[in-house]
Amino acid sequence: MADPVQSLAQLEILCKQLYETTDTSTRLQAEKALVEFTNSPECLSKCQLLLERGSSSYSQLLAATCLTKLVSRSSNPLPLEQRIDIRNYVLTYLATRPKLASFVTQALIQLYARITKLGWFDCQKEDYVFRSVIVDVTRFLQDSVDYCVIGVSILSQLTNEINQADATHPLTKHRKIASSFRDSSLFDIFTLSCNLLKQASGKSLLLSDGSQHDLLMQLLKLTHNCLNFDFIGTSTDESSDDLCTVQIPTSWRSAFLDSSTLQLFFDLYHSIPPNFSPLVLSCLVQIASVRRSLFNNAERAKFLSHLVDGVKRILENPQSLSDPNNYHEFCRLLARLKSNYQLGELVKVENYPEVIRLIANFTVTSLQHWEFAPNSVHYLLSLWQRLAASVPYVKATEPHLLETYTPEVTKAYVTSRLESVHIILRDGLEDPLEDAGLVQQQLDQLSTIGRCEYDKTCALLVQLFDQSAQTYQELLQSGSAPSMELTVQEGRLTWLVYIIGAVIGGRVSFASTDEQDAMDGELVCRVLQLMNLTDSRLAQAGNEKLELSMLSFFEQFRKIYIGDQVQKSSKLYRRLSDVLGLNDETMVLSIFIGKIITNLKYWGRCEPITSKTLQLLNDLSIGYSSVRKLVKLSAVQFMLNNHTSEHFSFLGINSQSNLSDMRCRTTFYTALGRLLMVDLGEDEEQFSQFMLPLTAAFESMAQMFNTNNFNEQEAKRSLVGLVRDLRGIAFAFNAKSSFMMLFDWIYPAYMPILQRALELWFHDPACTTPILKLMAELVHNRSQRLQFDVSSPNGILLFRETSKMITTYGNRILTLVELPKEQLYVLKLKGISICFSVLKAALSGSYVNFGVFRLYGDEALDNALQTFVKLLLSVPHSDLLDYPKLSQSYYSLLEVLTQDHMSFIASLEPHVIMYILSSISEGLTALGE
C-alpha cells in the first residue's frame, strides 16, 4: 500500500495541475486521475486526510467536492453514523478555520447542506439528528462577524438546497423534505434573518469593512431564499416566477401584519449602497406578492397602503434607479402592484393620484430611454396592460385617472420606437426588431394599453403614419433620395404597421363600439395602401422587416375581422368599401390571397417571409366559412391548378434550395390540401388533375431507381420535396372520401419508392425524417378517416407496409455505432422516436385485426414488434429521459402495447422486461414527466 503522505502529495500535485495548468493534455490527465480517485474505495479516508493535512486550497476543495458526491449517491449510501460524523466534522472544521479560501468554505457549506437535506428524516434513538440546523449555527452567530457570515451562509445554502429538486432522487422525497423543513424550520430562519437585518440597520455599518459587507449580503440572500421558497411544491420552473403568487403559510401572518417588516426593507433600500439594493428590492417583490388570502380586507388595505407609500418614496428619490439591476427589480416590484391587487383596491389608497402620476412619469421616461435595460420594459408594460384591462370592471367611486395616463404611455412607446430608427442606423446599434419574440411580447401588451382611450391612440397613429408615408412617397418619387433616408422611413413605417396590427388585435368584441371599428377601418386602409405601394416596387427592391410587419398586421386582422363570428355590418367594412372599394369579406380575402401569391413570387428565397406567408395561408384555410369563400376565388383556383409553376419556384419540384430549407413545403401543401378537400367532394378526376405533377415526379423517381447510374443528390432533393408535399396533403385530408383517394393513389404504386429511399439513405436524416413522418401521418386515423369496408384488406395491407418500413429503417439504423454525442439525436434517436410514433399510431388506429397475421402466418406484426425491442435496447435509459420527444413517443407506444398486446410483453426475455420496468420507474421519478 502506498505511503499516505506520498499519496496526499500526489493528489495535491494533481489538483494543482487541474486548476492551474494551461496545458490541455496535462489538465485532462489530471482530471482522469482524480475521477478515478473519487470512485476508489479509499476516497473517504483520504478526503479527511486532505482536509487535515492538505497544504493547498485546491486539495481542500477536492476533498469537499468528493465528500459531497459520496453523501449524494442514491445507491450504496453511507451509514448513518458515518454521515453524522462528517456533518459534525464539517461544522468543527469551519468553526476552527475561519480564514479558508472562499470557494473552500462554500464547498464545505454545500456538503453540510446536502447531508442535512438527504438525512432530514433519519432518526437515531427517536431523534431526527439532522434537523438541529439553528442550534448548529448558533455558535457561529454568537461569535465575530467572520463567523457570523459563515453561520448565515450555512442557513442560506441549506434553504436553497432544500428548495431545489435534483434528478438523482425522487421528486416525492424532495417534496416531503421541503414540506417538513417549511413547517419546522423555515419561519424561524426567516425571523432570525429579519432580526439580524434590523440589528444591522440599527447600527452604522462600516461597509468598507469586507466582513460587514459580506454579512449584509449573506443576510439579504438568506431572506430572499426564505421568501423565494416553493411553499406548496408547484414551481419547478424558475422562469415562470413572475406569474406566481408567493404562497406564504398562514403561520407567517404575524410577520406580515407587522408593518415594521415591510418598512425594514424600504429603510434598507434608502440607507445602504446601491450595489446591495437589488437584493433588497427582490425581497420587496416577493413580499408584495404574498397571497391575497393571507389578509382580510382591512388588513390587505393597510398592507397595500404601506407598500404604495414605500414605492412612492422610491419614485420621489430615484437616484439609485440609475443602476440597471436596481431599475430591473423596481420594475418587477411595480408590476406586482397590479398582478396581486385589484385596481379597485389601488384607487382607495390615500396617495393613489400622486403615485399613479409618478409611475406614469417613470414609465414615460423609461420608454423614451429605450436603449437602457430593454428587458425591464416588459414589467412596466405588464403593469399598464393589467391596469388598462381592469378599467371596465372597476366599481370604486374614486377616479382611476387611467384615461389621463394610458395615452401618455402609448404615445411614449410609439414615438420612442420611431425615434430609435435613425439612431440605430446612424450608430450601428442592435435593432430591437431583430428580436421578434421581444417585439411580439411588447406588442401584445401595447394592444391592451392602446385600446384604452382608443380615439387618442388612433389619432396619434394616423398622424404619425400619414407623416411617414407621405415622406416615404416623396422620397420614392424624387428618384434620387439617399438610401439612408429611405431606410429610416421604412423602419418607421415598419414599427407603425406592427403597432397598428397590435391595437387591432387588441379589439375585444363585447367591449368594442361602432366608432372603434370605424377607427380600425381608418388604420387598415392606410396599411393596405402602403402595401400596394411597396408591392409595386418589389421587382426593383423590397424591405424584409417591413414585409414581416405587414404579415403580422394581416394575422391580427384575420383573427379579429375574418371568420364566422364577425358581424359583416361592421363599420370597418363600410370604411374599406368607401376608401378601397372592398365591399365584403370575400373581397378582403382576395387581397390576402393576392398578397400571399406576391410574397411567394418575390420573396421565395427569404425563409422568414416565406414561412410566415404560408402560415397565414394555413390559418386562412382552417376557418369553416372563410375556406369556402376562398375556394371560389380565381386566385385560389390558380394556386390549385398551378402549384408547381414558376410562381412557387421556391417550392417547385426542381428547387435548388437545401434539403433543410424545404420544411415550408409541408405547410404549403397542407393549406392547399384543405382548400382542395372543400372543392373536391368525391371528384376523382379533379384529384388526379391536382396530383398530376406529383405523379410525374414519382414516375421519374421510379425510373431513376431502376437505373444504376443516377445523380444521388438530385434524387434526394426531389424525393424529400415530394414527401413533404404528400405529408401536407395527408395532414389536410381529414375526410374519409378524400383520404381514400390519396391512399389509392400512393398504394401500391409508390410505396416501393419510399422503401427504396430508406434502404439507400438510412444514414441521412434529412431524407429519412420526412419519409418516416409521412408514414406516421398515413397511419394516423385522424377523424376516423381510415375506416375501410368490412371486406377490404386495405388496413392489413397498410400495416404490412408500415411494418416493412419500420423493419427496413430499424435494422439499418442499428448499424450506426459510436456516433458523437452531439450528433446522436439527429442521426439516430430522432428516427427511432418517429418509428415509435408510427408504430403507436398503427397499433391504436382500430382499423387492423391483428389476429389475422398470426392466423395466416404473416410475420408483419412480429417483425415490427421485434424491431421495436431492438431499437429500444440500443437506447440507454439516460438518453430516453434526456430527449423529451423520444420519451414521449416511447411511453405512448408502451401504453398501447401493455393495453392491447400484453401477450407480446409477457413473452419478452427477462433482461428486456427489466429494461422496460426500469424505464417506467425512472420515468415516474424524473423531473418534468
Side-chain angles (χ1 to χ4, degrees):
M1 185 175 177
D3 177 35
V5 177
Q6 185 179 356
S7 298
L8 289 180
Q10 290 174 344
L11 284 172
E12 294 218 49
I13 292 170
L14 288 172
C15 288
K16 194 167 184 179
Q17 290 174 343
L18 178 65
Y19 292 109
E20 290 187 349
T21 186
T22 56
D23 181 67
T24 305
S25 61
T26 304
R27 186 168 62 250
L28 289 174
Q29 289 175 359
E31 183 178 4
K32 183 179 179 182
L34 290 172
V35 168
E36 292 176 358
F37 163 70
T38 58
N39 296 323
S40 69
E42 301 173 342
C43 180
L44 182 61
S45 58
K46 287 190 176 179
C47 282
Q48 186 170 354
L49 284 174
L50 277 174
L51 288 172
E52 288 291 343
R53 304 181 188 178
S55 59
S56 77
S57 298
Y58 295 134
S59 59
Q60 294 168 333
L61 175 62
L62 173 70
T65 306
C66 290
L67 286 171
T68 303
K69 183 178 178 182
L70 285 173
V71 301
S72 301
R73 66 189 183 195
S74 53
S75 59
N76 191 25
L78 296 177
L80 175 60
E81 291 76 12
Q82 211 163 29
R83 286 183 284 129
I84 294 173
D85 289 343
I86 294 173
R87 189 271 310 267
N88 294 337
Y89 178 80
V90 168
L91 289 172
T92 303
Y93 194 87
L94 288 169
T96 54
R97 292 171 172 83
K99 296 300 183 181
L100 291 169
S102 59
F103 56 83
V104 175
T105 302
Q106 185 58 39
L108 289 167
I109 290 173
Q110 171 69 40
L111 170 58
Y112 170 84
R114 184 67 54 83
I115 290 179
T116 303
K117 176 182 178 178
L118 297 180
W120 192 255
F121 287 106
D122 289 341
C123 286
Q124 189 180 57
K125 297 179 182 178
E126 299 184 357
D127 178 35
Y128 290 108
V129 289
F130 290 103
R131 296 193 183 183
S132 56
V133 289
I134 294 182
V135 174
D136 289 345
V137 301
T138 299
R139 66 172 117 167
F140 295 97
L141 300 179
Q142 293 175 344
D143 212 308
S144 66
V145 174
D146 287 332
Y147 281 104
C148 201
V149 170
I150 294 174
V152 174
S153 299
I154 289 173
L155 293 176
S156 182
Q157 181 61 43
L158 177 63
T159 305
N160 189 59
E161 177 74 26
I162 290 182
N163 196 37
Q164 297 285 330
D166 67 90
T168 58
H169 294 88
L171 185 59
T172 50
K173 180 180 180 182
H174 159 74
R175 283 311 319 155
K176 191 176 178 183
I177 293 170
S179 299
S180 174
F181 176 77
R182 174 201 65 199
D183 296 338
S184 64
S185 304
L186 188 59
F187 183 59
D188 291 336
I189 294 173
F190 174 71
T191 304
L192 174 64
S193 180
C194 288
N195 288 336
L196 289 173
L197 278 173
K198 287 176 183 176
Q199 292 175 22
S201 64
K203 302 173 183 176
S204 57
L205 286 171
L206 295 173
L207 293 175
S208 56
D209 181 333
S211 298
Q212 293 195 8
H213 181 285
D214 291 343
L215 176 58
L216 182 57
M217 183 64 76
Q218 290 302 327
L219 281 171
L220 290 171
K221 285 182 179 179
L222 172 58
T223 309
H224 184 257
N225 286 345
C226 292
L227 292 168
N228 206 39
F229 197 82
D230 184 10
F231 292 98
I232 59 173
T234 55
S235 302
T236 55
D237 180 10
E238 291 187 357
S239 66
S240 64
D241 77 309
D242 286 302
L243 304 177
C244 296
T245 298
V246 179
Q247 300 289 344
I248 294 290
T250 303
S251 57
W252 292 39
R253 257 173 57 86
S254 58
F256 292 90
L257 290 177
D258 183 356
S259 60
S260 65
T261 302
L262 186 60
Q263 194 60 43
L264 166 66
F265 292 94
F266 281 117
D267 290 343
L268 280 170
Y269 172 82
H270 292 286
S271 62
I272 60 179
N275 58 317
F276 289 95
S277 304
L279 266 175
V280 177
L281 289 171
S282 293
C283 292
L284 283 168
V285 168
Q286 296 301 104
I287 293 172
S289 306
V290 296
R291 60 185 173 91
R292 293 173 53 80
S293 55
L294 191 67
F295 310 109
N296 61 35
N297 289 343
E299 291 166 347
R300 190 182 310 111
K302 183 179 178 182
F303 181 82
L304 179 60
S305 178
H306 287 300
L307 182 63
V308 171
D309 283 344
V311 168
K312 175 174 174 283
R313 187 179 168 198
I314 293 176
L315 286 167
E316 289 172 337
N317 302 275
Q319 297 83 358
S320 295
L321 297 179
S322 58
D323 178 85
N325 294 322
N326 279 341
Y327 172 80
H328 181 78
E329 292 300 325
F330 183 65
C331 290
R332 291 183 65 220
L333 177 59
L334 290 178
R336 295 293 174 104
L337 285 178
K338 182 58 188 74
S339 64
N340 220 35
Y341 303 95
Q342 298 172 0
L343 180 57
E345 294 170 328
L346 285 168
V347 297
K348 292 179 180 178
V349 173
E350 182 180 357
N351 293 320
Y352 173 79
E354 178 63 13
V355 171
I356 197 68
R357 182 187 68 80
L358 289 169
I359 293 174
N361 291 342
F362 176 75
T363 305
V364 168
T365 303
S366 298
L367 292 171
Q368 289 170 342
H369 294 84
W370 51 267
E371 72 284 1
F372 179 78
N375 293 330
S376 307
V377 169
H378 159 77
Y379 298 104
L380 294 176
L381 292 178
S382 173
L383 167 66
W384 287 99
Q385 178 190 27
R386 289 172 172 169
L387 288 171
S390 301
V391 169
Y393 310 103
V394 67
K395 296 178 181 178
T397 55
E398 294 83 355
H400 53 67
L401 304 176
L402 295 181
E403 72 281 359
T404 302
Y405 296 117
T406 50
E408 293 182 11
V409 172
T410 302
K411 182 178 181 180
Y413 182 86
V414 175
T415 55
S416 64
R417 304 310 109 166
L418 301 189
E419 290 164 4
S420 72
V421 174
H422 175 72
I423 299 170
I424 288 167
L425 289 170
R426 183 194 66 196
D427 299 341
L429 303 178
E430 184 177 352
D431 190 348
L433 288 171
E434 299 286 351
D435 189 342
L438 180 64
V439 170
Q440 192 56 55
Q441 184 185 64
Q442 292 181 358
L443 291 174
D444 289 343
Q445 295 168 322
L446 186 71
S447 65
T448 304
I449 302 169
R451 294 299 293 201
C452 187
E453 300 298 310
Y454 190 50
D455 54 337
K456 296 178 182 176
T457 301
C458 186
L460 172 69
L461 292 175
V462 166
Q463 177 196 351
L464 294 171
F465 192 96
D466 287 349
Q467 289 174 357
S468 290
Q470 182 178 352
T471 304
Y472 183 55
Q473 196 164 14
E474 290 171 355
L475 289 170
L476 292 177
Q477 290 171 349
S478 70
S480 59
S483 60
M484 175 73 165
E485 292 186 24
L486 267 177
T487 307
V488 167
Q489 293 307 321
E490 286 173 344
R492 291 170 64 90
L493 288 167
T494 297
W495 273 110
L496 287 167
V497 172
Y498 268 125
I499 292 167
I500 288 171
V503 296
I504 289 174
R507 177 187 186 269
V508 182
S509 57
F510 65 84
S512 187
T513 64
D514 286 346
E515 289 72 21
Q516 290 182 342
D517 286 355
M519 294 176 204
D520 283 350
E522 291 288 346
L523 297 174
V524 171
C525 287
R526 283 165 169 78
V527 175
L528 294 180
Q529 287 169 330
L530 175 64
M531 181 195 74
N532 291 335
L533 175 62
T534 56
D535 283 357
S536 67
R537 300 183 63 246
L538 284 178
Q540 294 82 39
N543 185 294
E544 179 181 338
K545 291 176 184 175
L546 183 54
E547 291 294 336
L548 288 172
S549 71
M550 295 273 189
L551 289 167
S552 175
F553 161 80
F554 274 117
E555 179 57 23
Q556 297 297 333
F557 182 88
R558 180 197 65 79
K559 290 178 183 176
I560 301 299
Y561 287 108
I562 300 288
D564 304 331
Q565 307 303 318
V566 180
Q567 295 182 355
K568 301 308 181 289
S569 59
S570 165
K571 284 199 173 182
L572 173 132
Y573 279 100
R574 295 186 198 175
R575 189 60 186 155
L576 293 181
S577 176
D578 294 342
V579 178
L580 301 176
L582 303 175
N583 300 321
D584 55 24
E585 185 179 297
T586 301
M587 297 185 74
V588 172
L589 285 172
S590 69
I591 297 294
F592 274 68
I593 295 299
K595 180 58 178 170
I596 288 168
I597 293 175
T598 299
N599 281 5
L600 297 184
K601 180 177 181 181
Y602 288 104
W603 292 99
R605 301 297 176 183
C606 178
E607 193 278 333
I609 292 178
T610 299
S611 62
K612 290 186 180 298
T613 299
L614 291 174
Q615 189 58 51
L616 176 62
L617 175 63
N618 197 42
D619 292 340
L620 287 171
S621 70
I622 293 173
Y624 179 84
S625 64
S626 60
V627 72
R628 281 156 177 76
K629 293 175 182 176
L630 282 172
V631 295
K632 297 176 182 177
L633 297 176
S634 58
V636 170
Q637 290 299 318
F638 171 82
M639 293 172 71
L640 292 175
N641 295 326
N642 301 274
H643 52 93
T644 58
S645 75
E646 68 278 1
H647 286 86
F648 312 112
S649 59
F650 78 106
L651 299 167
I653 302 302
N654 296 315
S655 172
Q656 298 302 306
S657 60
N658 295 327
L659 298 184
S660 60
D661 295 332
M662 302 172 94
R663 295 184 181 90
C664 52
R665 297 181 68 142
T666 304
T667 308
F668 181 60
Y669 275 93
T670 298
L672 288 190
R674 291 197 186 103
L675 293 166
L676 179 66
M677 189 169 66
V678 171
D679 201 34
L680 189 62
E682 297 186 7
D683 189 341
E684 293 186 14
E685 184 178 344
Q686 186 180 353
F687 174 78
S688 299
Q689 186 67 30
F690 177 81
M691 298 296 289
L692 203 57
L694 302 180
T695 302
F698 265 102
E699 294 293 344
S700 173
M701 186 70 61
Q703 292 177 8
M704 204 180 295
F705 281 149
N706 287 332
T707 63
N708 293 325
N709 184 20
F710 63 89
N711 187 320
E712 187 170 323
Q713 199 60 33
E714 181 184 341
K716 271 189 193 181
R717 182 176 288 112
S718 301
L719 188 74
V720 173
L722 288 169
V723 169
R724 290 187 183 280
D725 300 347
L726 282 176
R727 182 177 161 225
I729 296 169
F731 181 82
F733 280 11
N734 281 335
K736 178 182 176 181
S737 58
S738 55
F739 192 80
M740 285 300 102
M741 291 184 200
L742 178 64
F743 179 79
D744 292 339
W745 178 86
I746 197 172
Y747 179 84
Y750 303 125
M751 279 294 188
I753 296 175
L754 301 180
Q755 295 282 0
R756 179 63 175 148
L758 284 179
E759 292 172 6
L760 286 174
W761 302 313
F762 68 91
H763 56 278
D764 186 352
C767 185
T768 57
T769 297
I771 295 174
L772 293 172
K773 284 187 174 180
L774 169 62
M775 204 65 204
E777 189 57 47
L778 289 174
V779 299
H780 191 173
N781 192 12
R782 186 184 293 110
S783 303
Q784 298 299 302
R785 63 187 182 179
L786 282 169
Q787 290 300 312
F788 301 105
D789 295 335
V790 176
S791 59
S792 171
N794 283 344
I796 294 170
L797 295 173
L798 177 58
F799 185 82
R800 287 179 67 184
E801 291 297 329
T802 305
S803 172
K804 193 186 302 182
M805 193 165 288
I806 290 173
T807 305
T808 298
Y809 176 77
N811 288 336
R812 284 167 173 76
I813 203 66
L814 289 174
T815 63
L816 297 181
V817 293
E818 297 183 1
L819 295 170
K821 178 70 174 176
E822 64 274 9
Q823 292 184 290
L824 180 62
Y825 180 75
V826 173
L827 294 179
K828 185 177 181 180
L829 297 183
K830 185 175 183 180
I832 291 176
S833 173
I834 302 172
C835 283
F836 289 173
S837 298
V838 172
L839 187 55
K840 182 261 181 183
L843 292 175
S844 61
S846 302
Y847 52 84
V848 184
N849 183 345
F850 290 104
V852 170
F853 292 102
R854 180 167 298 177
L855 181 65
Y856 290 98
D858 192 320
E859 296 182 346
L861 177 60
D862 288 339
N863 289 342
L865 294 177
Q866 291 301 329
T867 303
F868 155 69
V869 172
K870 288 187 219 174
L871 292 173
L872 180 61
L873 295 178
S874 73
V875 181
H877 279 145
S878 58
D879 288 343
L880 206 57
L881 297 174
D882 285 346
Y883 300 100
K885 288 185 178 179
L886 175 61
S887 58
Q888 177 67 37
S889 62
Y890 163 64
Y891 289 115
S892 298
L893 173 56
L894 188 61
E895 181 182 8
V896 172
L897 289 172
T898 52
Q899 181 176 314
D900 300 327
H901 298 271
M902 201 61 202
S903 59
F904 164 73
I905 297 291
S907 69
L908 294 172
E909 295 288 330
H911 72 281
V912 182
I913 295 286
M914 286 305 300
Y915 180 100
I916 291 174
L917 291 176
S918 297
S919 72
I920 294 172
S921 174
E922 293 186 18
L924 287 171
T925 57
L927 286 175
E929 287 295 315

